[in-house]
Amino acid sequence: MSRKKKLLLNAGAGIIKQVVAVICGFILPRYMILYFGSATNGLIASIDHFLSFIALLDMGVGAVVQSNLYGPLARKDSKQISKIIKSSERFFRTLACIFVGYIIVLCFLYPMLIDTTFDKWFTISLIIIIAISTLAQFLFGITYQLLLNADQKAYIQLFLQIGTILINTIAAILLMKAGATIHIVKLMTAMVYTLRPLGQMLYVRKHYKIEKRIVLNEEPIKQKWNGFSQHLAAVVCQNIDVAALSIFSTLKNVSVYSVYFNVINGVEQIIMTAASGLESLFGNMIAKGEKEILLKTFSVIEWVVHTSVTIIFSITAITIVPFIQVYTRGVDDTNYIVPLFSMFLVMAYAFQCLRIPYFRIIKAAGHFKETQNGAFISALLNITITLALVFRFGLVGAAFGTLVAMLYHTCYFVWYLRRNILERSPKYFISYLISDSITAVISYMLTKGTITDCPTYMAWIVLALRVSIIVVIISATINLIVYRSQIKGIRNILFKKE
């Protein structure tokens, strides 16, 4: 299968997976709030984020493992692939043990840190149940997922994710309607999500020649701990908001944050999963020394990402509050309408998405040690600003800290590429940033008069379609004037043979 076909298949599977995840991600919390209340929904969101501090650490090393697989896969070096797989499995087993220890500590400390009306054993048992599916990933699935991603076969694990998300959503709703407790519902979820890592393991064992007994004379995975420490900073940056709100605010505020975050994260993940094949594409080109092709491909992808992110997040920024009004209609135990908070959070994750091409090429090249200081500074900015502002400004203060950190980290990656890997001037990024801002501002100015209270989902869909048409027309006009060469480049990629 050609690079182009793999890239399009991965992108298609990623988009389908994320659309399914977004739809199901809206449905389930709504049922959780209606059946169990905002406080319980906030408790679950809080536990999920505290577990994420350790659960997401795998991707730090995972990115390093994946970057080390590009060369052996390009050379079809089964022996080196087997060594990397064995070393990776050892590391993730160690991380699984650390995760168990973290769960035990969390069970003791969480009920004391969080001001909650729930019984201590109610909370502890919920932590253990929610942690089960994450532990299964460390033990069975993550190494095989990385191998499939590196081999440009991300679509395999993405289709497995689609299946488990649908099964979980249907089963959870049926259980809630049948009167099941929150513990039964989350235990079912944990069991369903163990199916994906098992499916990945079976596929890899059937299609790859992995020597399980191969001897490791030296460490085959370079910069493993640099990737680990860098992603630790990213995990802290991503989860500090909920942690600060959980400790210094209320679980109802955590519930408000989680509802907005679910919407924005769903939008972000559509873009992220659509770009899931980029890293392996860049890695393959770097491994083969195809610098000229890499530069041309990167230039086109950079334009695609900026244009897509600007359109999608402009629509999100304009329509998110009307959507939340519809989504939380009938829920009156807390106020879910916080426009300034939503704007800061949308902008923060827009910058997170804008850095996709820059960060993916840095990871593909294996430059983890060289860029870890940028991750540490970003995390420090987020922690400092969030803790300084959350007491007085609550949700708005937390979101502003995230925005500053995301903006800094994106600019850092652009600066790093100025003299490394591509040796590319930041003027291209500045140009895109100006056109992105113009598109967003004009879109807001032309649509703000049309924003009205939406009593139903159908009314919101009509509003969203009207806003989408306006934003797309504005973006298309600006791009046709300023970026004709990039449009020609994407046409060549899509319609010309390799």
Side-chain angles (χ1 to χ4, degrees):
M1 190 183 295
S2 68
R3 283 174 177 167
K4 183 174 74 175
K5 288 181 179 178
K6 286 182 178 179
L7 181 63
L8 293 175
L9 185 56
N10 286 331
I15 291 171
I16 294 170
K17 175 259 174 181
Q18 203 51 44
V19 168
V20 171
V22 167
I23 293 172
C24 294
F26 289 153
I27 293 171
L28 273 184
R30 169 74 177 175
Y31 274 88
M32 289 287 182
I33 293 170
L34 290 176
Y35 279 88
F36 302 116
S38 291
T40 301
N41 186 57
L43 177 66
I44 293 168
S46 178
I47 291 171
D48 281 336
H49 277 78
F50 271 91
L51 288 174
S52 295
F53 275 107
I54 188 79
L56 292 177
L57 292 180
D58 64 291
M59 294 310 293
V61 178
V64 181
V65 172
Q66 193 167 315
S67 69
N68 277 267
L69 281 167
Y70 296 135
L73 284 168
R75 299 189 302 270
K76 301 187 186 302
D77 186 348
S78 297
K79 186 175 181 180
Q80 185 64 17
I81 292 171
S82 297
K83 288 181 178 180
I84 294 170
I85 295 299
K86 185 170 184 177
S87 177
S88 174
E89 287 181 327
R90 282 183 179 178
F91 180 85
F92 286 118
R93 279 196 294 268
T94 301
L95 199 59
C97 294
I98 296 172
F99 183 64
V100 171
Y102 177 76
I103 294 169
I104 294 170
V105 172
L106 195 63
C107 287
F108 279 103
L109 294 182
Y110 187 88
M112 293 188 290
L113 288 172
I114 307 304
D115 181 18
T116 173
T117 57
F118 296 104
D119 177 77
K120 180 175 72 173
W121 296 110
F122 177 96
T123 304
I124 290 173
S125 57
L126 201 56
I127 291 172
I128 294 170
I129 290 170
I130 293 173
I132 291 173
S133 59
T134 303
L135 188 60
Q137 281 235 114
F138 283 126
L139 291 176
F140 301 117
I142 188 65
T143 297
Y144 301 123
Q145 178 180 324
L146 295 169
L147 175 60
L148 292 171
N149 289 349
D151 202 20
Q152 300 179 63
K153 293 182 179 180
Y155 56 88
I156 300 295
Q157 56 97 359
L158 288 169
F159 284 127
L160 286 170
Q161 284 191 61
I162 292 168
T164 53
I165 290 169
L166 288 172
I167 293 170
N168 172 64
T169 302
I170 294 169
I173 291 172
L174 291 176
L175 284 173
M176 282 186 274
K177 286 187 173 183
T181 65
I182 185 62
H183 291 78
I184 297 297
V185 173
K186 298 308 289 185
L187 183 60
M188 180 280 305
T189 296
M191 296 297 101
V192 169
Y193 282 141
T194 60
L195 297 176
R196 181 168 66 93
L198 288 172
Q200 291 169 177
M201 181 175 64
L202 292 172
Y203 181 88
V204 169
R205 287 184 176 178
K206 182 177 180 180
H207 294 87
Y208 293 84
K209 295 179 181 179
I210 307 297
E211 299 177 41
K212 287 290 185 180
R213 297 184 180 180
I214 196 166
V215 178
L216 301 181
N217 297 319
E218 60 179 12
E219 176 54 61
I221 303 175
K222 308 302 180 184
Q223 300 192 50
K224 182 161 56 180
W225 289 104
N226 297 114
F228 182 90
S229 61
Q230 182 170 156
H231 201 74
L232 171 60
V235 169
V236 171
C237 196
Q238 185 172 343
N239 291 277
I240 186 63
D241 291 357
V242 170
L245 290 168
S246 297
I247 297 171
F248 302 116
S249 187
T250 66
L251 286 178
K252 288 186 177 181
N253 262 347
V254 175
S255 182
V256 174
Y257 187 100
S258 69
V259 168
Y260 279 90
F261 179 78
N262 283 344
V263 178
I264 296 167
N265 185 59
V267 173
E268 178 204 12
Q269 289 304 312
I270 288 175
I271 297 171
M272 291 291 189
T273 49
S276 59
L278 289 182
E279 190 178 328
S280 57
L281 177 69
F282 291 149
N284 185 267
M285 291 176 180
I286 292 170
K288 293 182 176 180
E290 300 171 337
K291 188 167 184 178
E292 186 178 344
I293 298 174
L294 178 64
L295 281 166
K296 290 180 180 179
T297 304
F298 179 86
S299 179
V300 172
I301 288 171
E302 182 184 29
W303 171 77
V304 171
V305 169
H306 274 267
T307 303
S308 302
V309 169
T310 301
I311 292 173
I312 294 171
F313 275 89
S314 294
I315 295 168
T316 303
I318 296 166
T319 62
I320 188 170
V321 171
F323 175 81
I324 298 298
Q325 288 175 332
V326 182
Y327 184 75
T328 59
R329 192 173 297 277
V331 179
D332 54 9
D333 57 356
T334 192
N335 177 31
Y336 281 85
I337 309 306
V338 196
L340 185 58
F341 159 69
S342 73
M343 188 63 64
F344 282 157
L345 205 63
V346 169
M347 290 173 65
Y349 283 91
F351 278 110
Q352 171 99 320
C353 289
L354 285 177
R355 74 188 191 198
I356 286 173
Y358 314 104
F359 188 35
R360 292 292 170 91
I361 202 165
I362 287 170
K363 289 203 297 180
H367 288 212
F368 297 96
K369 182 178 180 179
E370 297 86 346
T371 57
Q372 66 183 11
N373 288 340
F376 293 151
I377 294 171
S378 176
L380 183 61
L381 282 171
N382 202 343
I383 293 170
T384 304
I385 296 172
T386 297
L387 293 181
L389 299 180
V390 73
F391 292 99
R392 182 173 179 181
F393 300 104
L395 289 162
V396 174
F400 183 74
T402 301
L403 171 58
V404 173
M406 298 292 194
L407 174 60
Y408 164 78
H409 211 182
T410 301
C411 293
Y412 173 83
F413 286 133
V414 175
W415 174 86
Y416 182 81
L417 286 178
R418 181 172 63 95
R419 292 185 177 178
N420 301 278
I421 308 172
L422 294 180
E423 299 175 350
R424 195 166 184 272
S425 172
K427 70 179 182 181
Y428 298 101
F429 173 75
I430 295 170
S431 172
Y432 283 125
L433 207 57
I434 292 170
S435 60
D436 295 342
S437 301
I438 291 172
T439 300
V441 170
I442 294 175
S443 298
Y444 173 75
M445 295 300 292
L446 292 180
T447 58
K448 67 176 183 178
T450 66
I451 304 302
T452 57
D453 183 38
C454 296
T456 64
Y457 283 109
M458 184 56 65
W460 179 83
I461 290 171
V462 172
L463 170 67
L465 287 173
R466 187 166 62 242
V467 170
S468 299
I469 291 169
I470 294 171
V471 174
V472 169
I473 290 173
I474 293 166
S475 178
T477 302
I478 292 173
N479 278 282
L480 286 170
I481 295 170
V482 183
Y483 300 116
R484 290 184 181 180
S485 61
Q486 285 83 350
I487 294 173
K488 183 179 179 181
I490 191 64
R491 186 181 61 197
N492 290 338
I493 288 177
L494 291 174
F495 300 109
K496 286 189 177 181
K497 295 180 179 180
E498 289 189 319

